[in-house]
Amino acid sequence: MKTIKLTEDTRKDILDRLLKRSPDNYSEYEKTVADIITDVRTNGDRAVFSYTKKFDQWESHADNIRVTQAEIEEAVRSIDRPFLAVMKKSAANIEAFHQKQLRNSWIDTKPDGSILGQWILPLSVSGVYVPGGKAAYPSSVLMNVIPAKVAGVKKIVMTTPAGADGKVNPGTLAAASIAGVDEIYKVGGAQAIAAMAFGTESIPKVDKITGPGNIFVALAKKACFGYVSIDSIAGPSEILVIADETANPRYVAADLLSQAEHDELASAILITTDEKLAAEVGRQIEGFLQELSRTEIIRRSLDNYGYILVADSMDDALETANAIASEHLEILTRDPYAVMTKIENAGAIFLGAYSSEPLGDYYAGPNHILPTNGTAKFFSPLNVDDFMKKTSLISYSREALMKVHQDIELFAEREGLTAHANSIRVRFEDGI
């Protein structure tokens, strides 16, 4: 892990390197993804079954593509009771947090008879993609599904790849059962995204697709956006830690490694004002690497996108943190709440020595599906609003319209839209 003095030049270099990890920079896969989407859109189930055999090595068909209730019950029975109990506690925390995000429809009436309002309704059908194999994360099932359930989505459809034996990861199915998924289909990759975006004979079309995936899944979501809504085009995981001389270097090192283990493209960055802390964190990281699994992945991640940045001042550290706009931001300083008030861009902020990033990943309740690759400057964590749609309500009485009709007609005429003006004018052509 590189220790670097924080300057304007090093900040720019790091930002440039981090942006190269974006899914937008993998255009060589776009034609492959586009061909899969076209095939699924044209040939439906036949294409899905063909890709499932090609990529997942098992024979799927209309009678086995959907996970049965018996399969779900078998999966739940196979999960050890303590883990099942923890998943249920986590689900309760996630639900309680997202319940606070609910908003109500509203109507504003005036004495002249004008009525304005906003009608808030849930989406009808939401789709969630869940990776399979080594990247099977039951926590992401809970985070994707529970906000949709809180929003009141009528039907939630999940797609996830099965193994060569035609079985889905039991942890995934148990989490889906806890969260309340309505239908689960054994299909992965770009073909799963296309199936949910356009519908096939077996898999229903959805209104929105959420959930993480590999580069093919990310590019498929991007290509299908517009035919269906999506949460985001997620990039690799990131953590940024802001620390001063009061931070525990062992905690800092452990927290940086918690994200570096995701994959080789993950980013782990420490910005500190204390050179002694920087050196000790580096030593602690080397010590942990002798104990942890996934060491090869962690080392490649740290070699490529791991930095310890030594800043001259906390103001410099904060300026860099806001420029990076990290997915996860930990603040380990003497007064983390004071530092927090100066943060403008972050997916989630973790305050203090006992609020490490995995607390948010698994248990606390806020969503762990967060903006990456600097998009925290304009995107938010997945939330209940993502599963709602808002409709404006407008009703004017004749009295209310009479007061303003000439203003509207003038506006329309200045835009050269005479039919717009006429639509208002005809209501008063009797002169009354």
Side-chain angles (χ1 to χ4, degrees), residues 129-140:
Y129 182 83
V130 180
K134 295 179 181 178
Y137 300 125
S139 60
S140 283

Side-chain angles (χ1 to χ4, degrees), residues 261-379:
E261 75 170 340
H262 272 294
D263 61 59
E264 294 88 343
L265 294 175
S267 167
I269 299 173
L270 165 64
I271 308 178
T272 181
T273 51
D274 187 65
E275 291 186 8
K276 183 179 177 182
L277 177 78
E280 184 57 31
V281 167
R283 284 192 287 271
Q284 290 289 339
I285 284 174
E286 285 304 315
F288 278 128
L289 286 174
Q290 308 308 311
E291 308 168 9
L292 300 171
S293 61
R294 298 173 71 87
T295 300
E296 187 176 341
I297 290 173
I298 292 173
R299 285 197 182 277
R300 284 202 293 267
S301 168
L302 296 181
D303 287 345
N304 292 324
Y305 303 106
Y307 299 93
I308 297 175
L309 303 176
V310 181
D312 288 331
S313 68
M314 187 56 67
D315 285 343
D316 288 344
L318 290 166
E319 183 180 355
T320 300
N322 282 322
I324 292 173
S326 187
E327 177 187 17
H328 308 100
L329 172 65
E330 289 189 7
I331 303 177
L332 302 176
T333 61
R334 181 176 283 103
D335 186 352
Y337 294 94
V339 173
M340 178 200 72
T341 63
K342 299 177 182 177
I343 294 296
E344 298 174 358
N345 306 315
I349 301 174
F350 300 79
L351 298 158
Y354 298 98
S355 305
S356 62
E357 187 278 336
L359 173 65
D361 267 355
Y362 296 114
Y363 202 78
N367 211 289
H368 78 197
I369 299 166
L370 303 167
T372 59
N373 273 107
T375 60
K377 293 175 181 177
F378 45 83
F379 282 146

Side-chain angles (χ1 to χ4, degrees), residues 59-172:
E59 292 278 355
S60 61
H61 48 74
D63 293 331
N64 67 5
I65 194 73
R66 181 172 172 177
V67 175
T68 65
Q69 186 59 36
E71 288 175 299
I72 295 170
E73 291 171 0
E74 179 187 356
V76 171
R77 286 194 299 271
S78 75
I79 302 296
D80 62 89
R81 297 301 97 179
F83 182 36
L84 201 62
V86 167
M87 278 200 282
K88 289 179 179 179
K89 290 178 184 178
S90 175
N93 292 342
I94 296 166
E95 181 178 3
F97 179 86
H98 288 84
Q99 282 284 353
K100 297 181 186 299
Q101 297 177 340
L102 278 170
R103 293 195 279 176
N104 296 319
S105 301
W106 57 268
I107 289 180
D108 181 28
T109 62
K110 295 183 179 179
D112 64 6
S114 61
I115 301 173
L116 299 176
Q118 183 171 260
W119 195 13
I120 303 177
L121 293 169
L123 304 181
S124 294
V125 186
S126 184
V128 55
Y129 182 83
V130 180
K134 295 179 181 178
Y137 300 125
S139 60
S140 283
V141 177
L142 303 179
M143 293 289 183
N144 275 281
V145 175
I146 291 173
K149 297 293 286 189
V150 169
V153 173
K154 298 178 182 67
K155 183 165 75 171
I156 298 175
V157 174
M158 189 174 94
T159 58
T160 186
D165 58 358
K167 293 187 176 182
V168 173
N169 180 283
T172 296

